[in-house]
Structures are given as structure tokens and as C-alpha cells.
């Protein structure tokens, strides 16, 4: 029998990238082949994102393209997976005639069944959310490489008023610590050097007595030559125990993504973020007391309902106080079904744009200044391949997740930890040279410079 081939495109967050690997694992187990070429595919799947309206518009655009492809190949099965499947099932099935299957984030085990239905001309629809599904026993399909994502928990119970995630991905639930540690062991045996533990709100991880700090410590112990990263942290649940755990293990990266969203307590309350700016700043201060080199990144939303010029200035103030290494910055986008959707989206598009620009410019200035302070210093870099711009240069990342570019050298290869002296920096990239005796034995020391 001919092997059916599947092509998947992934949109949105890292959780979706991890889910795509999970789906590929499930489909491979059921005899499907994978292809990188859409023209070669019997099944085309889009793993979608609903976080902001522009994410959904992009996918609607893509479905338009797929219609043309399907016109010339009517047997092609087209599927929409992920958050949009959950949110727009009816619209997708009834109005987008080209969509044959619609599968939400908790029904991926049934993908083979849904694809089968679609091959027989029926619509395959699975959009039930689960309180327990964690796919704990499924081994995701991953190409060999250096970095891997592992989702450790699913869903979110925070209900920030602007956010669709609690509706599209359901309630929080955690995988078992043991299966995560086993997965890291397998990846270590395959030569992976960096693991990112993923969850919408990783600090809520709980497996029996074990909290996220315990999971992080257990992950770090698997292989000391592997870097462990994690994202995303919610300020409400970031415990002292977690900070001490990060400090204790040389191979847990000193880098925390801690979305602040706004600098105004009034807006934070309307967003249901459940912390004040004062509390948020206390966490940052404590972390920096414990770990001098720690880096922070954040998410910021500009133009939430009722945001005034004063609120906006408070956001700029908090950015100046924290001095983030980087930030993801967005205009507020009303999402149907959320609490904020019922508030009046009263900040005009023009004002949102102006404020967002101010936020972006300030962040670029701060990133540039922070990177300048690293010029002349040494950093330990995990080399991960060629630079994006030229194959005469290698690129890698520091412990704090900054990109470093060095000239190519016959001896240095992807997967090596190298000591690099930084000699130039832009707001996005550090440039340097491998220090003399640059090779380090990651077993014998902490992986920080
Ligand atoms: N509008 C704009 N940004 C949003 N985010 C989540 N929902 C919205 C929305 N409705 C942002 C938040 C979150 C990040 C993943 O996306 O900053 O932390
Ligand atoms: Fe959305 Fe808030 Fe949950 Fe993050 S913590 S996924 S912003 S509801």
C-alpha cells in the first residue's frame, strides 16, 4: 500500500512547535510518512495560533492559497489544528469548504482516525478539551539536532482578561517528572545539548509532591553538559525556591522570561494579572541579588482598554527600571470570548501604534546599551551552526540566550562550548573571537562565564 505523506506548517508559540513534533510522532507510529514539500503531500496540516487577530488573518490567507492547490489536487486532505481549531470549529467546517479536519490541542491522539475519515470524504472533527491529557507516553518525532523543546505542562488557569489560551488550550495539567527526565535522557544520548521546558505557565507545574523547581533540578542532573532553559514564567508563582534552584545548577540558564504586560497597577488589575508592579520588581531584585548575570525578557501589551498616557508612561518606567535584555511587544488585540472583549477597545489604532513604537524604541536602546557592557568580556557560547548571514561565520548563544557570531574555524563545530571574547555588539547580536584555549570541558565547570 502506498504510504500517505503529511506536510505540517506551524504557527505561533513554542508550545505549538512542540505539539507539531508530538503529532508527527503519532502519525509516524501509524504508518504515515512526513514530507517538507507541500506538492508531495497527501495531507496538509496547519497547526494554528489564535493569540492575536493578525495571527488568525495570516492563517486565513494561507487557507486561501491551499484552496488553489486543492483545486488542482481534489484528493488532498487539508486540516486545521491547534488554537484556531478550538476557537473557530464551526466557521472552519461550514464556511471554509476546503477544510476536511479540525482538531484541537487535546485530541491529537485521534489524528489517524480523523485523517482516515477525511480520506473517505467525511469531515473529521475533534475539539473536546481534556482535564487530563498530557501525551505523557508519546515520544515526539524530532530530527537530530542540538536544541529540543519539551512541553511539561499544558493549558492555563490564569484567565488574564485579554487572553484566549485558557479557552483554546483548556485547564492546567502536568506531565510526570519521570517521563520528562526519561525524555531528556534519550535526547542526551542522541547528542542534544539544550533543552527548553515549555508550558504556558511553567511555575504551576505539579506532579505529586514535585513542583517546577524540583523538575528543573531533576532535569539539570540528567546531563551536566546540557543546558536547561524554561518558559514561560508567571510573576505570581515564581518562588524563591525556584530562584535558588536556578542558582544552584551551573547548567540551568540564568535567563528568565517574565511577562510584565503593563507597568500600571490599574491596568494590571483590569488584566487580572494578580500582581502589582511593586511585587514584580521585588522578584527581579531578589533574582539579581542571587545571580549577578541573570537576564530578563518580557512581554508587553500596548493599548489595553482604558490605557491612558499616564499608564503608558508607567510601562516605559518599568522597562527603564528592569532594563530587560529583550521583549516581545504587541498592540492589544480584542479576542472574542475573553473578559476584556466586553470592555470598550477605546485606544485608537493610531495611539496604539505610537505607544508601541515608543516601547520598541526604548527596548532597542536598552538592549543595545546592555550588549555594549559585554564588549571586552568573555562569554561561554554553545555553537549551534553557521551565522544566518554568512557561512564564513559560526553562531551560538550565551547562557543568557544572546546570539554570538564568531569567524569560522576548522576546529570549532556545532555542539561545542567555546569561550568567546566579545569585541563588538549591536542591539541584537554580539560579535567576537574564540579566546585562546577556548575549548572548555563543560563537565568540569558551570556553564557560565
Ligand atoms: N492582544 C495582544 N497581545 C496578547 N497576548 C496575549 N493575548 C493578547 C491579546 N489579546 C500577548 C501577551 C502574552 C503573549 C504570549 O502574547 O503579552 O504574554
Ligand atoms: Fe494567557 Fe495569562 Fe495564561 Fe499567559 S498566563 S497563557 S497571558 S491567560
Amino acid at each position: 500500500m502506498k504510504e500517505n505523506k503529511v506536510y505540517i506548517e506551524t504557527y505561533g508559540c513554542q508550545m505549538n512547535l512542540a505539539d507539531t513534533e508530538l503529532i508527527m510522532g503519532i502519525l509516524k507510529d501509524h504508518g504515515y510518512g512526513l514530507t517538507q514539500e507541500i506538492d508531495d503531500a497527501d495531507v496538509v496540516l496547519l497547526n494554528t495560533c489564535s493569540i492575536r487577530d493578525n495571527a488568525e488573518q495570516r492563517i486565513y490567507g494561507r487557507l486561501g492559497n491551499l484552496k488553489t492547490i486543492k483545486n488542482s489536487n481534489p484528493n488532498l486532505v487539508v486540516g486545521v489544528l491547534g488554537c484556531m481549531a478550538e476557537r473557530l470549529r464551526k466557521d472552519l467546517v461550514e464556511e471554509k469548504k476546503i477544510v476536511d479536519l479540525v482538531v484541537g490541542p487535546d485530541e491529537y491522539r485521534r489524528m489517524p482516525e480523523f485523517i482516515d475519515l477525511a480520506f473517505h470524504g467525511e469531515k473529521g472533527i475533534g475539539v473536546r478539551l481534556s482535564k487530563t491529557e498530557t501525551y505523557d507516553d508519546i515520544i515526539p518525532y524530532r530530527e537530530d539536532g542540538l536544541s529540543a523543546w519539551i512541553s511539561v505542562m499544558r493549558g492555563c488557569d490564569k484567565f488574564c482578561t485579554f487572553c484566549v489560551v485558557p479557552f483554546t488550550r483548556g485547564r492546567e495539567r502536568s506531565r510526570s517528572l519521570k517521563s520528562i527526565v526519561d525524555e531528556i535522557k534519550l535526547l542526551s544520548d542522541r547528542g542534544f545539548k539544550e533543552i527548553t521546558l515549555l508550558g504556558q505557565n511553567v511555575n504551576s507545574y505539579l506532579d505529586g509532591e514535585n513542583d517546577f523547581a524540583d523538575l528543573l533540578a531533576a532535569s539539570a542532573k540528567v546531563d551536566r553538559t546540557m543546558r536547561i532553559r524554561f518558559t514561560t514564567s508567571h510573576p505570581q508563582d515564581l518562588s524563591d525556591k525556584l530562584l535558588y534552584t536556578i542558582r544552584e545548577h551551573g547548567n540551568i540558564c540564568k535567563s528568565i522570561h517574565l511577562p510584565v504586560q503593563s507597568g500600571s497597577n490599574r491596568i494590571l488589575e483590569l488584566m487580572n494579572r494578580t500582581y502589582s508592579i511593586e511585587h514584580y520588581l521585588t522578584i527581579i531584585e531578589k533574582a539579581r541579588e542571587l545571580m549577578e548575570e541573570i537576564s530578563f525578557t518580557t512581554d508587553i501589551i500596548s493599548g489595553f482598554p482604558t490605557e491612558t498616557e499616564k499608564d503608558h508612561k508607567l510601562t516605559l518606567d518599568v522597562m527603564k527600571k528592569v532594563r530587560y535584555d529583550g521583549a516581545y511587544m504587541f498592540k492589544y488585540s480584542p479576542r472574542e470570548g475573553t473578559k476584556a472583549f466586553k470592555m470598550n477597545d477605546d485606544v485608537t489604532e493610531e495611539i496604539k501604534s505610537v505607544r508601541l513604537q515608543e516601547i520598541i524604541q526604548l527596548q532597542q536602546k536598552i538592549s543595545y546599551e546592555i550588549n555594549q557592557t559585554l564588549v571586552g568580556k568573555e562569554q561561554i557560547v554553545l555553537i549551534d551552526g553557521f551565522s544566518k548571514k554568512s557561512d564564513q561565520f559560526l553562531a551560538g548563544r550565551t547562557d543568557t540566550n544572546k546570539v554570538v557570531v564568531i569567524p569560522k574555524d576548522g576546529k570549532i563545530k556545532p555542539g561545542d562550548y567555546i569561550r568567546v571574547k566579545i569585541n563588538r555588539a549591536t542591539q541584537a547580536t554580539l560579535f567576537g573571537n574564540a579566546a585562546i584555549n577556548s575549548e572548555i570541558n563543560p563537565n568540569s565547570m558551570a556553564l557560565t562565564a
Side-chain angles (χ1 to χ4, degrees):
M1 208 174 79
K2 174 181 160 286
E3 178 189 67
N4 285 310
K5 287 207 181 126
V6 179
Y7 167 93
I8 309 191
E9 267 172 28
T10 310
Y11 297 81
C13 64
Q14 294 153 340
M15 296 289 293
N16 261 10
L17 289 170
D19 277 358
T20 289
E21 293 178 340
L22 194 78
I23 294 160
M24 295 195 300
I26 294 170
L27 293 178
K28 279 214 109 185
D29 252 9
H30 283 78
Y32 287 89
L34 301 173
T35 173
Q36 315 269 8
E37 304 294 328
I38 199 162
D39 295 333
D40 204 23
D42 305 286
V43 181
V44 173
L45 303 172
L46 306 183
N47 191 2
T48 64
C49 170
S50 286
I51 198 93
R52 283 168 292 275
D53 186 56
N54 53 11
E56 288 189 349
Q57 292 314 320
R58 241 180 102 200
I59 290 153
Y60 277 125
R62 189 64 178 130
L63 283 173
N65 302 145
L66 290 181
K67 195 170 176 188
T68 322
I69 300 179
K70 193 159 169 158
N71 282 343
S72 57
N73 175 11
N75 292 328
L76 186 73
V77 166
V78 174
V80 173
L81 319 178
C83 288
M84 264 175 93
E86 204 56 53
R87 217 177 77 74
L88 299 167
R89 50 194 132 172
K90 203 158 158 261
D91 179 43
L92 286 168
V93 180
E94 284 171 13
E95 288 171 33
K96 303 280 163 210
K97 296 270 183 284
I98 65 153
V99 177
D100 304 294
L101 51 122
V102 176
V103 187
D106 287 346
E107 298 251 47
Y108 295 145
R109 276 179 204 274
R110 295 174 65 198
M111 287 289 298
E113 177 194 330
F114 294 134
I115 294 177
D116 227 34
L117 278 175
F119 277 136
H120 290 91
E122 286 175 55
K123 299 263 180 188
I125 302 169
V127 287
R128 255 196 315 230
L129 288 172
S130 158
K131 290 203 172 78
T132 53
E133 178 64 276
T134 59
Y135 303 106
D136 212 24
D137 55 319
I138 289 179
I139 301 183
Y141 174 79
R142 296 186 180 94
E143 304 279 343
D144 283 335
L146 293 172
S147 293
W149 318 106
I150 299 187
S151 56
V152 302
M153 52 95 61
R154 302 180 71 83
C156 182
D157 290 353
K158 289 280 182 238
F159 287 93
C160 300
T161 57
F162 50 79
C163 185
V164 286
V165 167
F167 305 99
T168 58
R169 300 188 79 97
R171 298 288 63 75
E172 284 173 2
R173 64 224 106 112
S174 301
R175 281 178 61 182
S176 73
L177 183 139
K178 185 182 176 305
S179 84
I180 296 164
V181 166
D182 287 348
E183 195 170 334
I184 298 176
K185 279 189 192 131
L186 283 177
L187 291 166
S188 159
D189 291 344
R190 281 176 64 189
F192 280 81
K193 288 280 173 229
E194 181 181 70
I195 298 293
T196 306
L197 304 180
L198 291 178
Q200 232 75 44
N201 176 16
V202 284
N203 307 124
S204 300
Y205 176 88
L206 199 61
D207 174 27
E209 303 268 280
N210 293 311
D211 63 13
F212 185 63
D214 299 322
L215 172 68
L216 210 47
S219 305
K221 283 179 197 155
V222 172
D223 175 351
R224 292 296 185 188
T225 75
M226 261 180 153
R227 279 179 169 173
I228 309 290
R229 300 186 185 279
F230 58 96
T231 197
T232 294
S233 298
H234 190 289
Q236 192 199 333
D237 309 323
L238 203 147
S239 65
D240 285 358
K241 179 178 169 190
L242 183 65
L243 293 178
Y244 281 101
T245 306
I246 299 170
R247 183 173 73 163
E248 192 183 321
H249 296 267
N251 59 329
I252 299 179
C253 291
K254 308 292 174 275
S255 143
I256 303 184
H257 184 62
L258 196 65
V260 66
Q261 313 296 1
S262 166
S264 155
N265 282 334
R266 189 182 71 81
I267 296 290
L268 288 175
E269 186 149 353
L270 287 175
M271 288 176 162
N272 188 32
R273 289 291 290 178
T274 69
Y275 54 83
S276 65
I277 278 301
E278 291 72 25
H279 175 68
Y280 182 95
L281 292 172
T282 317
I283 302 172
I284 305 263
E285 205 178 309
K286 178 117 202 199
R288 286 185 171 151
E289 258 167 39
L290 291 173
M291 294 163 278
E292 207 186 316
E293 300 251 315
I294 196 156
S295 76
F296 281 96
T297 52
T298 201
D299 293 343
I300 295 174
I301 296 178
S302 158
F304 187 80
T306 77
E307 186 188 75
T308 61
E309 202 51 35
K310 200 171 134 215
D311 296 314
H312 169 62
K313 289 275 180 313
L314 288 168
T315 299
L316 299 175
D317 281 352
V318 86
M319 293 172 70
K320 288 179 201 153
K321 280 190 189 135
V322 176
R323 294 183 62 80
Y324 294 104
D325 288 78
Y328 298 95
M329 300 157 283
F330 314 103
K331 281 187 215 171
Y332 168 68
S333 166
R335 309 312 288 132
E336 208 177 336
T338 61
K339 258 197 169 163
F341 191 74
K342 298 196 196 91
M343 302 175 196
N344 191 6
D345 180 22
D346 57 356
V347 180
T348 63
E349 191 54 32
E350 198 189 337
I351 293 181
K352 279 183 192 166
S353 295
V354 171
R355 288 183 187 163
L356 182 65
Q357 261 322 304
E358 283 179 25
I359 290 170
I360 292 173
Q361 270 166 16
L362 175 59
Q363 184 52 48
Q364 286 178 342
K365 177 169 169 284
I366 293 171
S367 298
Y368 178 80
E369 288 169 0
I370 293 177
N371 285 352
Q372 292 311 310
T373 67
L374 297 173
V375 173
K377 294 199 177 138
E378 283 188 0
Q379 296 280 306
I380 289 175
V381 176
L382 170 60
I383 300 295
D384 54 26
F386 287 113
S387 134
K388 270 195 226 139
K389 295 202 177 131
S390 156
D391 63 7
Q392 292 309 302
F393 290 86
L394 294 167
R397 283 177 188 267
T398 64
D399 184 274
T400 51
N401 216 12
K402 292 176 189 292
V403 175
V404 179
V405 171
I406 60 168
K408 194 168 83 174
D409 165 323
K411 282 191 297 206
I412 303 173
K413 55 185 189 315
D416 287 349
Y417 287 98
I418 296 292
R419 203 184 293 279
V420 173
K421 175 119 186 249
I422 307 301
N423 53 32
R424 185 165 74 83
T426 66
Q427 54 105 3
T429 313
L430 305 173
F431 298 86
N433 286 299
I436 303 170
N437 293 330
S438 65
E439 269 176 73
I440 61 163
N441 174 1
N443 272 318
S444 66
M445 60 173 297
L447 299 178
T448 47

